[in-house]
Amino acid sequence: MKCKICKAQAVVALKSHNSAFCPECYKRFFLRQVARGIESQKLFTRNDRILVALSGGKDSLSLMLALSRQGYKVTGLHIDLGIPGSSADARGVTERFCARHGLKLIVREMAAEGLPIPLVKERLRRPICSACGKIKRQFFNEVAVKEKFDVVATGHNLDDEVARLFSNTLRWDVAYLADQGPVLEEEAGFVRKVKPLWRLTEFETANYAFLMGIENHYAPCPYSPGATFSVLKGLLQRLEAVMPGRKLDFYQGFLERGKRLFAPGQPKKADMLAPCPLCGYPTSSGGECGVCRIRTALRGDSA
Ligand code: AMP
Ligand code: FES
Ligand code: ZN
């Protein structure tokens, strides 16, 4: 197989794009797709200060490298969850990556915040993933507000986004459908959040990470084996195999023609938000924010 651009030996074939690429042309293709994702959805500009949430996985590290190579002002943020046998590796990979590429990195330790995930798991009587997600999102936002970043970027890819869209559609969750997309606008104490890899599949990102020599942390979380939406992702993979390009079409079509149909009638989030009485973080819970409730449960003051 020959590279569609330069006719050298191809190493990556992409049916969805009806193309095959040699290593150098593939890297350029990947960066072009990231740029299209940013520009078409107006995610940010080169003047914005971008906080990139780095888990140590291939998606977020590839995103960080792609953005820095394209002249964006990026700083990494790693949340050390304190999970034995997992977090130290993820943190080590992230720190070595940033040191190797001369990229700025902020690390926040949940143990130092009184929120080590093993303790949260032990004390809470509900699935740890949702509590862990809540804690991570709150720290992404807190660091961004405090350090005056314009935007938080995460490494969610097209497979993550399409599976979420499919899940929201299966439940006809109109509120989530109205909100879903590669950009969540800034609002009352929440920094703008973006997903610049929304046009790229997991396979495409893995190829970029491999060709760029990115060492990544791929051990699944010991508390949540099995990827999020794994059943839906499997179904969508089978669909894509017989209809190449369908995932991107489905998601792009939603952004261009579907999403706006769900917005009317949705209450404005800002109207539902009030500061948490304990920490001041904006919350729609009508009382303490999710993270303060977790802290309260850890102290054992509540059931
Ligand atoms: P996940 O939900 O684990 O697939 O992660 C989705 C995105 O959230 C990743 O691509 C990262 O941008 C971000 N993320 C997840 N875990 C962490 C972490 N421990 N520290 C910083 N960012 C994270
Ligand atoms: Fe948060 Fe596993 S519970 S990453
Ligand atoms: Zn709070």
Side-chain angles (χ1 to χ4, degrees):
M1 208 178 4
K2 295 249 155 61
C3 172
K4 197 172 165 185
I5 313 285
C6 75
K7 311 297 175 215
Q9 175 72 37
V11 294
V12 187
L14 298 179
K15 275 201 191 134
S16 53
H17 292 269
N18 201 16
S19 285
F21 300 100
C22 72
E24 289 315 307
C25 290
Y26 183 76
K27 291 177 200 167
R28 276 194 286 274
F29 160 82
F30 184 89
L31 293 180
R32 210 163 49 241
Q33 291 298 320
V34 177
R36 275 181 72 178
I38 294 168
E39 284 154 25
S40 67
Q41 294 292 313
K42 301 189 171 51
L43 301 189
F44 43 71
T45 69
R46 283 185 176 72
N47 294 325
D48 289 320
R49 293 187 66 227
I50 306 162
L51 185 64
V52 185
L54 299 178
S55 61
K58 62 183 177 342
D59 298 298
S60 51
L61 297 184
S62 295
L63 170 63
M64 181 79 171
L65 195 55
L67 293 182
S68 74
R69 293 275 164 114
Q70 294 189 95
Y72 287 101
K73 293 187 217 160
V74 285
T75 298
L77 169 63
H78 178 70
I79 306 290
D80 183 336
L81 301 168
I83 302 174
S86 165
S87 296
D89 282 357
R91 178 175 175 169
V93 162
T94 308
E95 286 176 338
R96 283 194 295 279
F97 167 86
C98 288
R100 174 179 165 200
H101 295 285
L103 298 165
K104 286 178 273 183
L105 174 66
I106 298 170
V107 176
R108 291 291 292 267
E109 287 176 11
M110 293 305 98
E113 303 288 341
L115 290 166
I117 299 300
L119 185 66
V120 177
K121 180 176 178 337
E122 190 191 301
R123 299 284 171 84
L124 288 195
R125 282 180 223 128
R126 54 194 168 90
I128 182 64
C129 292
S130 75
C132 174
K134 203 168 267 172
I135 291 171
K136 283 190 276 199
R137 284 193 298 277
Q138 189 151 326
F139 277 91
F140 296 166
N141 196 66
E142 191 194 294
V143 172
V145 169
K146 207 152 125 211
E147 308 288 334
K148 300 199 166 39
F149 284 93
D150 299 294
V151 57
V152 171
T154 54
H156 293 96
N157 58 43
L158 179 65
D159 292 288
D160 299 323
E161 284 300 278
V162 173
R164 181 176 299 274
L165 175 58
F166 194 27
S167 166
N168 290 339
T169 307
L170 286 173
R171 289 177 288 109
W172 288 114
D173 192 321
V174 175
Y176 277 32
L177 285 165
D179 244 7
Q180 195 185 341
V183 52
L184 205 54
E185 293 296 347
E186 169 186 1
E187 182 161 48
F190 290 106
V191 168
R192 188 179 167 81
K193 287 202 216 71
V194 298
K195 301 167 183 169
L197 297 185
W198 68 270
R199 295 183 59 84
L200 290 143
T201 64
E202 206 169 310
F203 174 77
E204 288 162 356
T205 308
N207 275 293
Y208 181 74
F210 176 76
L211 292 173
M212 296 303 287
I214 295 176
E215 173 203 9
N216 60 75
H217 170 78
Y218 50 75
C221 168
Y223 296 154
S224 54
T228 333
F229 300 129
S230 56
V231 172
L232 295 183
K233 281 186 176 173
L235 277 174
L236 290 159
Q237 236 14 58
R238 281 163 59 197
L239 178 71
E240 182 78 10
V242 284
M243 300 171 90
R246 190 37 63 111
K247 280 190 299 200
L248 185 56
D249 280 353
F250 178 53
Y251 190 68
Q252 216 169 354
F254 166 73
L255 296 179
E256 285 166 12
R257 301 182 295 282
K259 183 176 156 100
R260 71 179 116 100
L261 305 176
F262 298 101
Q266 288 303 310
K268 272 199 80 78
K269 239 200 281 144
D271 298 339
M272 305 192 298
L273 293 172
C276 166
L278 296 182
C279 74
Y281 190 75
T283 174
S284 56
S285 75
E288 290 176 21
C289 73
V291 171
C292 283
R293 269 192 273 180
I294 293 170
R295 287 187 193 280
T296 304
L298 290 190
R299 284 197 307 268
D301 318 353
S302 80

